[in-house]
Structure formats: C-alpha cells, structure tokens
C-alpha cells in the first residue's frame, strides 16, 4: 500500500511538471512574439514575462530571464527552480528557450 501511494505521488508530480513546463513555454513564446514588435522594449517585456511566469506557474523560484535581440530575431530564455505542490521528492530546474522574428510594418 505504501508503494502505491509513493508511485501515485510521483506520477502526480510528473504530471504537474509537464504542465509547469508547458505553461512556462507558452508564457515565453507570447513574450518573445510581443517583444518582436517594432515599438517594444525588452526590459518591459522581461518584467511582464516575470510577472506572468509567477502567476501561471505556481512554485517558481529563482527565475532567470534573458531576452536579447540581434535586430532580426528576439531570443528569450527562462530558467527557474520549480517546487511542486505536495512533497518535494527531487529538485527540478526548468529551462526553456524561444525565438521570434522582429516584425516591421511594410
């Protein structure tokens, strides 16, 4: 019976991990696309992404967010420690990188 509950907890945490990584990926994708507009500021986009990340991914700690632009492509990288709900069985670090082209009017 104990093995069953340990496995159930592990499966639940893996499910939450997949959801947390997907939510972080979607938040980063949106922030990078928004930062790819002509009138956007990378610092503002980074701050907005940090707020979104803490709101959509509970358990986010020590988030490192880097957004850079080379004039044609905006690159965003997020890396954070994730503390799952319930017992913390293993330490988890989630890292996601996304790119988007800079959009200019014709």
């Amino acid at each position: 019976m104990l093995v069953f509950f340990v496995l159930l907890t592990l499966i639940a945490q893996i499910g939450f991990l997949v959801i947390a990584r997907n939510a972080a990926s979607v938040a980063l994708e949106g922030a990078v696309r928004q930062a790819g507009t002509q009138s956007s500021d990378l610092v503002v986009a980074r701050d907005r992404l940090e707020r979104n990340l803490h709101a959509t991914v509970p358990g986010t700690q020590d988030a490192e967010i880097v957004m850079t632009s080379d004039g044609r492509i905006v690159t965003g990288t997020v890396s954070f420690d994730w503390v799952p709900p319930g017992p913390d069985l293993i330490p988890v670090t989630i890292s996601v990188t996304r790119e988007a082209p800079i959009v200019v009017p014709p």
Side-chain angles (χ1 to χ4, degrees):
M1 187 80 120
L2 177 66
V3 172
F4 172 75
F5 284 114
V6 169
L7 287 176
L8 184 64
T9 302
L10 184 63
I11 290 171
Q13 284 193 357
I14 290 172
F16 282 128
L17 173 64
V18 170
I19 292 169
R21 187 183 183 291
N22 190 27
S25 177
V26 169
L28 180 59
E29 180 76 25
V32 169
R33 284 179 183 239
Q34 191 171 23
T37 59
Q38 187 178 20
S39 63
S40 112
D41 183 16
L42 291 180
V43 176
V44 174
R46 183 202 173 284
D47 293 340
R48 187 179 313 120
L49 173 60
E50 188 170 6
R51 285 192 307 273
N52 280 343
L53 193 64
H54 286 291
T56 54
V57 184
T60 301
Q61 294 180 348
D62 302 328
E64 294 180 25
I65 302 171
V66 177
M67 295 190 79
T68 59
S69 174
D70 66 356
R72 293 181 342 174
I73 295 176
V74 176
T75 303
T77 302
V78 172
S79 179
F80 59 92
D81 295 329
W82 181 68
V83 179
D88 188 9
L89 298 178
I90 55 173
V92 177
T93 301
I94 297 175
S95 297
V96 181
T97 301
R98 294 289 180 261
E99 294 180 341
I102 292 181
V103 180
V104 294

